[in-house]
Amino acid sequence: MGDYDEDTAFLGQTGPYFWTTFFLLNTVFVSTGFNGLYIVFVGAAPKHHCLIPDVNLTEEWRNAIIPFTIVDGEEVQSQCSRYRLDVVRNLSAEGFIPGRDVNLTNLEQEGCLNGWNYSKEIYQSNIVTEWDLVCDNQWKVPFASSTLFVGYLVGSLISGQLSDRFGRKKVVFISLAAQCVSVLLQSFSHSWRMFCIMFLFVGASQISIYISAFVLGTEVLSKTMRVLFTTLGAFLFYCIGYMTLPWIAYGIREWRTLLAVLSATAVVYIPLWWFIPESPRWLITQGRVKEAEVIVRDAARKNKVEAPPVIFKKSEHQAMPPNKTYTMLDVLKSRNIRCITLMCLLLWMAINIGYFGLSLNTSNLSGNPFMNCFLSATTEVPAYVVSTWLLKKCPRRVLLSSFLAIGGGVLLLIQFIPDTLQSVALALEMTGKFGFTMAFSIVYIYTAEIYPTVLRNVGMGMCSSAARIGSITAPYVIYLGTYNKVLPYILMGSLTIASSVVNFFLPETLNKDLPETVEQMQECLGLCSGPKKKKYAGRGNSPIQHEDKSDVQTLTP
């Protein structure tokens, strides 16, 4: 195949066509921000205690039937038990006064046999209040969250194959429709099981939207616009959706209505079908050169430039001889690549556990959960802007380890903040979110620069799978907070600090040519590194002149 960028150089690097496509594609990412983390509100557990049925009890006994327990050093009403109702009813009928005539600590307790009474101060209803996902059933909330991330894993595995076969544009809009239908059906869930099943489809369609739109943007836009799209555009528009979510949830406190409204927002994307083009690069690979030329000529018209009579020469698009296909087994053959891959897998897992752990934990923080979620989303905006600027000048290894240390160190410090300083704890949590977001954006570029071209897709795919495993684990890390509120912070902080140390054993890639072959790949540092084999000498050491490092972001969806 010919050089597409060279064939379409007459379009220029900017212009109305590129800017319009840039913004229209980025609006698609807003929907992923809407639907990515609504479980923060839909699955939040409001204050609750055992429901006391309408039986003949005095006011004193009705107020005393719920025992007090110590939680994190504070005395609070038990959420999962009450004093035995038949015993309390007999004591009330005999005229005994609790605390004066009866020592309450000697009374036998029982579970919430009649259900729970939930506070409606923040949420009118959600899946917790509807299906009593508390006490013995509270594990079902993190399980439901994990089904979303399992969907991410499934979607990331199949979306690439679908877009390669049917086209980037079709998969983007089919995925948008699938997300809309899945969220709408989820709002009609009649059971927790149905909610989880639909959440899996929500996750699969959402990651499919993200990956397909990301690939479409990198293939349609010019090199200059492509870098802006992959570093800031997609992330910032996701943040716009993420920041808007808590305000929609604040106005709609009933979970079924909230999900129905969120699904309805997909209607605004229908007109985009006629304005977002298919990828000409993909059309050429399918032998549909005439369709690709129509799109490029339309782009020339909008950019007010003249297209040549023949844009793509037929001889340039004849089939190329098949090259060797690399698989995951090739990663295991070399000790150097094995070690680098293991360290990258740890990095991606740790970052995703920390990022999604803090994102899902916003409803458990002190203060207003809607404002906490908004602040958590807002901290991502400067993180993406700063990381884009720093990546142009700073060593990747030091940069990534520094922000991992900041994120992990802050999490370890939070447990020492007294409850009276809630604002300080919230500020530290937001600082940790900033550090993890910075690390999240850096690790994509860094990993793509480490792997050679022949293994880059395989390496990024393995790391992406590790990231999904980390995000699936994140809800259960937060679930540990039901036993002790500092446990999630200790676990996430320790894992992050460990990964920041491991990161120093990876090779530095700043101002280095992108490796194309396994022989050109840099050696990792430490125990895994060994003397280079003689066959490497004189091979692959020359600079790579034909691959532009500024375009590395296009390799990271």
Side-chain angles (χ1 to χ4, degrees):
M1 190 171 119
D3 190 330
Y4 176 86
D5 288 328
E6 187 177 311
D7 291 340
T8 59
F10 63 89
L11 292 175
Q13 292 298 307
T14 59
Y17 170 79
F18 289 126
W19 280 112
T20 301
T21 305
F22 174 85
F23 283 108
L24 291 181
L25 273 175
N26 276 320
T27 57
V28 172
F29 295 113
V30 176
S31 71
T32 62
F34 275 154
N35 298 291
L37 291 166
Y38 58 70
I39 190 65
V40 169
F41 306 109
V42 171
K47 294 179 180 178
H48 55 277
H49 58 76
C50 292
L51 178 66
I52 309 303
D54 188 15
V55 295
N56 189 19
L57 293 176
T58 62
E59 190 66 25
E60 291 88 350
W61 278 107
R62 187 169 290 275
N63 294 332
I65 193 172
I66 305 296
F68 281 83
T69 184
I70 304 298
V71 178
D72 296 323
E74 295 184 7
E75 190 178 49
V76 296
Q77 277 190 322
S78 174
Q79 297 181 331
C80 301
S81 62
R82 69 186 184 190
Y83 295 120
R84 282 190 56 176
L85 184 60
D86 56 345
V87 174
V88 170
R89 186 165 47 191
N90 292 336
L91 292 172
S92 175
E94 294 175 9
F96 291 106
I97 304 298
R100 190 188 70 181
D101 302 325
V102 178
N103 186 356
L104 296 177
T105 58
N106 296 329
L107 292 182
E108 186 179 352
Q109 298 183 16
E110 63 184 3
C112 299
L113 304 180
N114 301 104
W116 285 263
N117 184 28
Y118 298 95
S119 169
K120 294 189 177 183
E121 180 183 359
I122 299 177
Y123 308 103
Q124 287 298 311
S125 71
N126 60 18
I127 64 172
V128 174
T129 62
E130 182 153 341
W131 297 314
D132 290 331
L133 305 185
V134 292
C135 300
D136 291 340
N137 286 325
Q138 62 183 345
W139 62 270
K140 292 183 177 181
V141 176
F143 185 92
S145 300
S146 291
T147 58
L148 173 72
F149 300 118
V150 171
Y152 279 10
L153 178 60
V154 174
S156 62
L157 292 175
I158 65 173
S159 60
Q161 298 177 17
L162 291 176
S163 63
D164 283 343
R165 180 173 181 179
F166 300 106
R168 283 69 163 115
K169 178 180 174 180
K170 286 182 180 178
V171 173
V172 167
F173 284 91
I174 290 174
S175 300
L176 278 169
Q179 178 182 254
C180 172
V181 172
S182 299
V183 176
L184 183 62
L185 291 177
Q186 195 178 32
S187 70
F188 290 100
S189 298
H190 55 75
S191 67
W192 168 77
R193 290 183 180 85
M194 180 179 176
F195 182 91
C196 292
I197 292 171
M198 297 315 304
F199 218 12
L200 189 146
F201 286 102
V202 172
S205 58
Q206 186 180 122
I207 197 66
S208 180
I209 292 170
Y210 191 91
I211 292 176
S212 302
F214 198 98
V215 172
L216 179 58
T218 59
E219 293 181 349
V220 170
L221 298 173
S222 64
K223 184 176 293 187
T224 300
M225 299 291 293
R226 191 184 311 152
V227 173
L228 183 64
F229 176 79
T230 54
T231 54
L232 281 180
F235 291 128
L236 288 182
F237 277 77
Y238 165 82
C239 284
I240 292 173
Y242 186 7
M243 288 188 290
T244 309
L245 171 64
W247 301 113
I248 299 176
Y250 177 80
I252 305 173
R253 308 293 183 93
E254 202 279 323
W255 75 277
R256 293 184 184 274
T257 307
L258 173 63
L259 265 58
V261 170
L262 291 177
S263 69
T265 58
V267 175
V268 302
Y269 294 111
I270 295 177
L272 299 188
W273 173 264
W274 290 275
F275 295 97
I276 294 177
E278 180 56 272
S279 167
R281 294 175 188 263
W282 176 80
L283 290 171
I284 291 172
T285 63
Q286 303 299 304
R288 297 157 63 177
V289 180
K290 289 184 178 180
E291 294 177 53
E293 282 206 4
V294 170
I295 294 173
V296 174
R297 292 187 185 281
D298 182 60
R301 180 181 60 80
K302 292 178 180 177
N303 276 357
K304 298 180 180 178
V305 296
E306 186 175 349
V310 178
I311 300 176
F312 306 111
K313 296 178 182 178
K314 187 175 180 180
S315 60
E316 292 181 346
H317 307 293
Q318 295 176 352
M320 296 289 289
N323 297 320
K324 178 186 176 182
T325 301
Y326 286 82
T327 65
M328 293 184 186
L329 294 178
D330 292 284
V331 173
L332 303 176
K333 293 179 181 179
S334 166
R335 181 176 64 176
N336 180 49
I337 302 178
R338 279 200 307 269
C339 289
I340 286 178
T341 301
L342 287 175
M343 288 188 280
C344 287
L345 294 179
L346 176 62
L347 276 173
W348 283 64
M349 285 185 64
I351 292 171
N352 273 262
I353 288 175
Y355 175 83
F356 284 105
L358 289 179
S359 298
L360 295 171
N361 194 49
T362 51
S363 62
N364 298 327
L365 298 176
S366 301
N368 189 301
F370 304 102
M371 180 57 70
N372 291 341
C373 183
F374 176 74
L375 292 175
S376 179
T378 304
T379 57
E380 296 194 14
V381 176
Y384 290 130
V385 174
V386 172
S387 64
T388 302
W389 179 75
L390 290 178
L391 277 168
K392 296 178 181 179
K393 303 180 179 181
C394 300
R396 276 76 165 119
R397 192 169 56 191
V398 174
L399 200 61
L400 183 55
S401 289
S402 298
F403 285 104
L404 283 172
I406 290 173
V410 164
L411 293 180
L412 293 177
L413 282 175
I414 288 179
Q415 58 186 305
F416 300 109
I417 304 300
D419 294 336
T420 55
L421 299 176
Q422 294 180 356
S423 58
V424 176
L426 181 61
L428 286 175
E429 182 115 5
M430 295 302 108
T431 304
K433 182 67 180 298
F434 177 86
F436 278 110
T437 304
M438 290 284 292
F440 201 87
S441 58
I442 293 169
V443 76
Y444 267 85
I445 310 301
Y446 188 25
T447 306
E449 291 176 341
I450 290 176
Y451 280 99
T453 301
V454 294
L455 282 176
R456 191 168 290 126
N457 281 338
V458 174
M460 292 296 293
M462 293 178 68
C463 290
S464 180
S465 298
R468 306 306 165 211
I469 294 172
S471 57
I472 291 170
T473 308
Y476 293 100
V477 175
I478 299 304
Y479 178 65
L480 293 175
T482 59
Y483 300 101
N484 189 310
K485 67 178 183 179
V486 302
L487 278 180
Y489 297 108
I490 292 175
L491 183 58
M492 289 189 294
S494 301
L495 183 59
T496 305
I497 294 295
S499 65
S500 70
V501 174
V502 168
N503 180 60
F504 273 108
F505 293 97
L506 289 172
E508 180 54 63
T509 60
L510 179 66
N511 297 327
K512 300 288 180 67
D513 294 313
L514 284 178
E516 287 201 348
T517 65
V518 174
E519 289 81 4
Q520 292 171 350
M521 189 174 179
Q522 294 188 70
E523 291 280 345
C524 64
L525 308 176
L527 296 176
C528 292
S529 61
K532 291 185 179 180
K533 296 182 180 180
K534 291 183 179 180
K535 68 176 183 178
Y536 287 4
R539 295 182 57 188
N541 295 322
S542 59
I544 303 170
Q545 301 293 340
H546 60 280
E547 187 162 4
D548 187 353
K549 275 185 72 65
S550 66
D551 196 32
V552 67
Q553 288 88 345
T554 64
L555 303 168
T556 61

